[in-house]
Amino acid sequence: MLCLFTKGGAQSAMATERGHVLDLRNETGINVAGLLQAQTGSTRSYGLSLDRFVLDADLAAEAVRGTVKLVRLQTGVMARVDAEGIVALECARCLNSYDQAFAMEFAEEYRQVVDVKTGVGLLPKPEEEVDEETSTIDENHELDLAEVLRQEILVALPMRPYCGAECPGPDVIESGDAGREDDRFATLARLLAEDGPAH
Ligand SMILES: [Zn+2]
């Protein structure tokens, strides 16, 4: 028996047509030309694997692993993404850098703006709202998960990063604490003084 397995970008589109699960390896763009020519409800599945994914000027996710499922809609493609990974954050208490694990999932509709067969621009129906917030499939029939993925990972991160039970805690500066207490007493004293004459 002869089995041949081929790997590489050139084979991706063909393999997608046969319904194989493909890997998005260090890329977030997916060509959906084939899916757009399939019936509404058709699906494609991908494994997602990003070694490093930039979130912000000084923030990046690492070891992002997950799955992407695409569903052909009448007006475009729905992408369902389920992923986890880590982001190096600064602990709000001890200010040390630590690896924060995250997990998130989202579904985003990518609107079709160009007809896949003719390349002619599709106008949105009057009842449909399309603005710069709307995710779209570009004129090369590619959708890019990057921007929504970036936003969803940021939302999945804790508001107040905390390195965990081993956190050494903030360095307590004695004079600083005394200063805060002095302020409190000063405020209290002022309030008492203001209330004083009324009683
Ligand atoms: Zn800490």
Side-chain angles (χ1 to χ4, degrees), residues 6-81:
T6 51
K7 279 189 173 176
Q11 303 297 324
S12 297
M14 282 173 64
T16 305
E17 294 311 305
R18 292 198 297 266
H20 292 188
V21 174
L22 291 165
D23 270 333
L24 291 169
R25 176 121 186 95
N26 291 328
E27 60 178 329
T28 54
I30 310 174
N31 190 296
V32 292
L35 183 57
L36 289 175
Q37 294 177 65
Q39 282 185 335
T40 302
S42 300
T43 63
R44 298 286 186 271
S45 296
Y46 302 82
L48 180 67
S49 171
L50 308 173
D51 294 335
R52 186 180 155 81
F53 180 66
V54 174
L55 301 172
D56 228 328
D58 51 359
L59 209 59
E62 289 175 12
V64 180
R65 302 287 179 268
T67 57
V68 178
K69 188 176 180 187
L70 304 182
V71 182
R72 171 68 160 123
L73 304 177
Q74 227 162 11
T75 52
V77 170
M78 177 71 79
R80 291 183 193 284
V81 178

Side-chain angles (χ1 to χ4, degrees), residues 32-33 35-37 72-77 109-117 120-124 128 130 134-138 141:
V32 292
L35 183 57
L36 289 175
Q37 294 177 65
R72 171 68 160 123
L73 304 177
Q74 227 162 11
T75 52
V77 170
E109 182 185 345
Y110 288 79
R111 195 65 64 87
Q112 185 179 4
V113 293
V114 174
D115 186 278
V116 69
K117 287 190 183 113
V120 174
L122 299 173
L123 293 173
E128 293 174 345
V130 176
T134 306
S135 298
T136 55
I137 300 165
D138 72 15
H141 314 302

Side-chain angles (χ1 to χ4, degrees), residues 91 94 163 167:
C91 175
C94 67
C163 69
C167 182

Side-chain angles (χ1 to χ4, degrees), residues 91-96 98 162-164 166-169:
C91 175
R93 289 189 70 207
C94 67
L95 306 183
N96 289 330
Y98 73 102
Y162 174 53
C163 69
E166 302 288 302
C167 182

